[in-house]
Amino acid sequence: MLHRPSAMYLSTRGGIADVPFDRVLLEGLAPDGGLYVPHAWPHWSAQAHQAAAWTSYAELSGRVLHDFVGDALPQEAVHTAAQKGADVFTHPAVTPLVQIGANLWLLELFHGPTLAFKDCAMQVMGHLTEAALAQSGERLLILTATSGDTGAAAVNAFAGREHVEMVVLHPKGRVSPIQRKQMTTVDAPNVLNLAVHGDFDDCQRLVKTLLQDESLRGAGRPPRRVSSVNSINWGRLAGQVTYYIAAASALGGRARFVVPTGNFGDAFAGWVAGRMGAGVESLTAAVNHNDALAQAINTGLYVRRPATPSSSVSMDVQAPSNLERLVFEATGRDPAAVRDVFDTFARDAEVVLGPTLTAPLQREVHAVSVDEGETHREIARVHGETGGYFICPHTAVGVGAARRLAAAGPPIVVLATAHAAKFPDAVRATLGVTAPTPPALAAVQDKPERVVDVEADLDAVKAAMAQMAVEG
Ligand SMILES: *Cc1c(COP(=O)(O)O)cnc(C)c1O
């Protein structure tokens, strides 16, 4: 089979190459511990980018996917994934732009079923994964640890999918009631929700151990793979490039993007859009007080410290997994240099990046940290200046970072990553009121919940999994 270079993948650690998209999607992490990237980035002509302005989101998404999937899946399946992935959004533009100030725009990414941007890619991934499994004749067990938004989006995207089983671990009592209900009220026999007596790190540790557990793989008929759907999975990023291209073209061809950032997945998708020729004039990664990424890019010292809670909970990350993809590019695609950086980081919990690496990193991405006080002030300021528009705390971090850019220049676009109604406590703490509840949230309020409580212990988790109807 002949594949285009943008649809064949290699690992950032150099141990793997020539992997087609369907395997990348089902594997998640490359077997050598690296992250998958295409052999070459696709590039669209200026005319193609211009035409994006009058192309439907579904069609644009299909064109992006076509470049990254190639012949690995039937064209019809890719087309369907793009169409259905857009159809579940409640706004006709899918990801509309809203102006909130002079030269300042929000890209609303929260019109999907779980009201956060993760729906944009996760819905598409659900359809593509089903197609990949139908083709390979395998089953897939998806294991996910979540602090809220990823689990909700994943459950919604994979509920009822053929050949897929999903186990979602969340820390009991530490996700918001809304986030929990978005996961636990989905009535699908292929989804198991576990409320773990522990914190998010316990959940993540359990998932990591389970991902290496040979007893979960293989044995049954048809054979079963085990994987994860966080943003190390290239399928997530491929589904996020589209809205950058759509927004840049809608604003006349150039824009400065500001991205509220945790694992740097969404921001890296923006970098990819720029490489594809979209008018990404600049890219700013906005982080909260968990600022390991900003320190790494701005000072060259990358240190892992424990994350401390903030109101932008989905960004409480101190070891952003997708930094590896950007470092790979900044080294001129040198896997030895990537291994050096991330092996040192894993061993010593810190690594000096040095000027040969920080110079190219700084050329590609600005990184800005916004503290809690500023986050709350932005929620209030935007609400006051616009006559009542609510932003979520993650979006507020982005708006805070956007205020530091020069006013003169192409339009500034902040990615609005979640609906404010998903984070009522943070919004109420600032404004004394909460955003009106959208129908998608109201619908989950009174539905029965399906969730199993477990100790933060491997045997307890495996015992709960053994009760799953589709186990074995
Ligand atoms: C996940 C999430 C983010 C961070 O996205 P990354 O791709 O991890 O950088 C930001 N805001 C919200 C609301 C999220 O759910």
Side-chain angles (χ1 to χ4, degrees), residues 5-6 9 36-44 67-68 234 237 241 268 271-273 275-276 325 328-329 333:
S6 66
Y9 294 80
Y36 281 119
V37 289
H39 281 234
W41 298 107
H43 195 272
W44 291 10
D67 278 349
F68 290 120
W234 171 254
L237 304 199
V241 173
F268 190 76
W271 182 89
V272 172
R275 281 302 291 258
M276 290 174 69
R325 288 189 164 108
F328 181 65
E329 297 294 340
R333 302 197 140 205

Side-chain angles (χ1 to χ4, degrees), residues 117-118 149 260-266 314-315 394 417-418:
F117 85 91
K118 294 188 169 81
D149 290 337
T261 299
N263 268 318
F264 198 70
D266 204 5
S314 299
M315 292 157 49
H394 309 76
T417 51

Side-chain angles (χ1 to χ4, degrees), residues 243-332:
Y243 46 73
Y244 287 95
I245 296 176
S249 65
L251 290 170
R254 294 207 80 74
R256 291 176 282 172
F257 287 95
V258 182
V259 190
T261 299
N263 268 318
F264 198 70
D266 204 5
F268 190 76
W271 182 89
V272 172
R275 281 302 291 258
M276 290 174 69
V280 179
E281 179 79 15
S282 67
L283 191 64
T284 300
V287 298
N288 62 30
H289 61 226
N290 294 298
D291 65 350
L293 176 80
Q295 294 287 347
I297 291 176
N298 296 332
T299 71
L301 184 60
Y302 182 30
V303 183
R304 184 175 49 218
R305 298 194 180 84
T308 55
S310 77
S311 51
S312 46
V313 285
S314 299
M315 292 157 49
D316 291 342
V317 176
Q318 289 285 44
S321 50
N322 278 283
L323 180 60
E324 179 159 341
R325 288 189 164 108
L326 189 68
V327 167
F328 181 65
E329 297 294 340
T331 60

Side-chain angles (χ1 to χ4, degrees), residues 84-292:
K84 290 191 172 169
D87 285 350
V88 291
F89 280 67
T90 56
H91 194 289
V94 180
T95 58
L97 283 157
V98 171
Q99 191 165 13
I100 58 161
N103 213 20
L104 181 59
W105 304 74
L106 293 180
L107 181 59
E108 293 186 341
L109 302 176
F110 50 70
H111 295 278
T114 70
L115 307 181
F117 85 91
K118 294 188 169 81
D119 290 328
C120 298
M122 205 73 87
Q123 289 288 327
V124 170
M125 246 181 111
H127 295 285
L128 292 179
T129 301
E130 201 168 58
L133 292 170
Q135 184 168 276
S136 71
E138 295 166 302
R139 296 175 298 153
L140 181 66
L141 172 63
I142 299 172
L143 300 167
T144 305
T146 183
S147 57
D149 290 337
T150 301
V155 168
N156 204 286
F158 287 92
R161 296 245 166 262
E162 269 193 78
H163 316 301
V164 174
E165 297 147 73
M166 170 170 262
V167 181
V168 182
L169 288 75
H170 73 263
K172 185 176 169 65
R174 300 195 196 201
V175 301
S176 80
I178 289 171
Q179 289 177 320
R180 189 191 71 238
K181 285 180 185 170
Q182 283 185 324
M183 295 187 274
T184 59
T185 61
V186 173
D187 183 21
N190 70 326
V191 174
L192 174 66
N193 278 292
L194 297 179
V196 176
H197 291 265
D199 60 16
F200 174 68
D201 289 332
D202 291 321
C203 296
Q204 200 147 32
R205 179 175 47 79
L206 287 163
V207 164
K208 275 193 186 145
T209 313
L210 287 166
L211 283 172
Q212 287 154 10
D213 190 328
E214 285 301 325
S215 74
L216 294 178
R217 272 169 231 283
R221 287 248 133 244
R224 179 163 80 172
R225 284 179 180 273
V226 185
S227 181
S228 183
V229 288
N230 56 31
S231 60
I232 55 158
N233 193 313
W234 171 254
R236 285 277 301 277
L237 304 199
Q240 292 172 10
V241 173
T242 307
Y243 46 73
Y244 287 95
I245 296 176
S249 65
L251 290 170
R254 294 207 80 74
R256 291 176 282 172
F257 287 95
V258 182
V259 190
T261 299
N263 268 318
F264 198 70
D266 204 5
F268 190 76
W271 182 89
V272 172
R275 281 302 291 258
M276 290 174 69
V280 179
E281 179 79 15
S282 67
L283 191 64
T284 300
V287 298
N288 62 30
H289 61 226
N290 294 298
D291 65 350

